Amino acid sequence: PEGRATVLDLLPSGLPRIFPVGRLDADTEGLVLLTNDGALAHRLLHPSLGNEREYRVTVRGRVTSETFARLERGVVLEDGPTAASRVAGVRFDASAAATRFDLVLREGRKRQIRRTLGALGHPVVTLVRTRIGTLRLGKLARGQARLLSPQELRALRAHAERLGSRVQSAGSWGANTGA
């Protein structure tokens, strides 16, 4: 929209038709997977299959353990409760008055992380997607692209097969009670 460039504009010409698996907001950066495999994309994106996405999040203020517990249980937003999540690697930077942590989600609603943390009183400063399923961002520079290694592709396809063959239990991370 508004004539902004997309991730596909960063790629060299002459590639076969590929499309992104999911998307990132304009003010979020990080890992974007591009593919021409529709079945793989479907398994990685379908909310009922519970594929994990991991983000490195920096928010304003010192986040309390009670707030993290609410985030992990799920938070009620205007479009309904969020699913349970996991938090790890919490660090508070007193000089910046900001908290940084890793957040793992199994759903991906529009601006979900920003809306959830805003509702909890901690606006997002930076947001970087670092993992989709078995794929990790690693040291890839901003705006750069690379092919997956054969090992990465095999692992991702095996992961997608496991997602597609299991029945996701609603409470695998705990009840979605809202907060």
Side-chain angles (χ1 to χ4, degrees), residues 33-92:
L33 175 64
L34 303 170
T35 186
N36 61 359
D37 184 336
L40 174 69
H42 174 77
R43 286 186 172 171
L44 295 175
L45 287 174
H46 200 282
S48 71
L49 299 179
N51 183 48
E52 292 185 352
R53 298 148 183 94
E54 185 171 344
Y55 298 82
R56 186 176 44 239
V57 185
T58 305
V59 299
R60 286 193 211 133
R62 182 186 295 265
V63 181
T64 65
S65 58
E66 294 82 17
T67 299
F68 280 126
R70 289 178 66 193
L71 180 62
E72 289 180 328
R73 282 191 311 266
V75 175
V76 177
L77 299 174
E78 65 278 358
D79 57 345
T82 63
S85 61
R86 282 194 327 250
V87 173
V90 176
R91 296 168 299 285
F92 177 68

Side-chain angles (χ1 to χ4, degrees), residues 53-57 101-103 105 113 127-130:
R53 298 148 183 94
E54 185 171 344
Y55 298 82
R56 186 176 44 239
V57 185
F101 55 95
D102 298 317
L103 179 66
L105 303 177
I113 295 171
L127 184 58
V128 180
R129 184 164 52 204
T130 58

